[in-house]
Amino acid sequence: MFLGRIDVLKRDCDRVYVVGTSFGAEAALLCGAHSASVDGVVAFAPSDVVWAGYDGAHAETSHWTLTGARLPYVPFDWRQDVKENPPRFRPLYEGSRQTFAEHIPAATIAVEGIRSLILVAGGDDQVWPSVAHAERIQRLRASHGLTTTIVAEREAGHRTVLPGEPVVTGGMTMQRGGTEAADRRLGSRAWEVITDLFALSR
């Protein structure tokens, strides 16, 4: 569905950038990796791999499909989950990556297919380790001779707050890390890089 809409946009637009946060960043990176119509990606709190999701029957499956086929993914090892209230999912993701290390090569997103890439990540992200994810993406692209811009803030969490944005309070109750001040600092720095990219590509 995403790729078809991107192709429609490309017919009317001279440039198409895909922007996403968290699972949306995962989707944005996959779109950039698999569509020649994507000129660049901006991924907030990114992931370097496809993670598990759940279908309508609550069975674990891949989060995403491509031309109807489910993409390889890293499963969850729920033994790694830390019982807290509200929940903090970072230990689950870190532990699952270790338990199912053999799934990582197939589940790794082919970010070497993305033309231009900005990654925005908070060092105190308690949902998943987005800085580590971003650094893996950067290393993979570097091995193909490609540059990647990472904008990181040590004290920021999972949700970046861009200039002029309100703090989002909705969504599932969980620990996301960071502070409003740190999340806004990250957003200000990211916005400068993003607007510079768009200005350069005119």
Side-chain angles (χ1 to χ4, degrees):
M1 181 172 66
F2 291 148
L3 298 184
R5 292 299 303 154
I6 288 168
D7 288 339
V8 171
L9 282 172
K10 191 65 174 180
R11 291 201 294 266
D12 296 324
C13 304
D14 60 344
R15 296 168 296 153
V16 175
Y17 288 87
V18 184
V19 181
T21 298
S22 193
F23 287 147
E26 196 177 314
L29 291 165
L30 285 166
C31 288
H34 291 284
S35 174
S37 296
V38 174
D39 294 281
V41 172
V42 181
F44 293 85
S47 173
D48 61 312
V49 298
V50 174
W51 287 100
Y54 291 89
D55 63 16
H58 302 291
E60 186 179 270
T61 183
S62 178
H63 223 143
W64 310 105
T65 62
L66 180 65
T67 61
R70 296 203 172 273
L71 291 172
Y73 67 97
V74 179
F76 289 131
D77 178 3
W78 285 100
R79 297 170 300 177
Q80 307 295 330
D81 189 31
V82 175
K83 300 302 181 184
E84 296 176 320
N85 188 22
R88 177 172 60 97
F89 294 109
R90 181 168 178 155
L92 172 65
Y93 282 98
E94 291 174 329
S96 297
R97 192 180 190 102
Q98 292 180 1
T99 301
F100 298 110
E102 72 276 10
H103 291 254
I104 292 172
T108 295
I109 299 171
V111 291
E112 66 272 17
I114 301 173
R115 295 181 200 169
S116 177
L117 181 56
I118 296 173
L119 305 172
V120 183
D124 189 43
D125 190 337
Q126 295 302 315
V127 177
W128 61 22
S130 54
V131 169
H133 290 175
E135 290 171 346
R136 291 188 190 100
I137 291 170
Q138 185 181 53
R139 287 195 296 270
L140 176 56
R141 284 173 56 84
S143 72
H144 291 269
L146 301 170
T147 60
T148 306
T149 300
I150 295 179
V151 184
E153 165 65 44
R154 184 173 60 86
E155 297 178 346
H158 194 69
R159 284 178 166 171
T160 302
V161 184
L162 294 172
E165 282 191 324
V167 175
V168 177
T169 57
M172 178 181 174
T173 300
M174 68 176 77
Q175 295 185 53
R176 293 181 171 85
T179 64
E180 180 178 344
D183 296 349
R184 288 190 181 280
R185 285 198 302 272
L186 179 57
S188 294
R189 293 177 52 213
W191 189 243
E192 291 181 7
V193 174
I194 293 165
T195 53
D196 284 348
L197 169 65
F198 292 163
L200 288 171
S201 57
R202 285 177 182 168

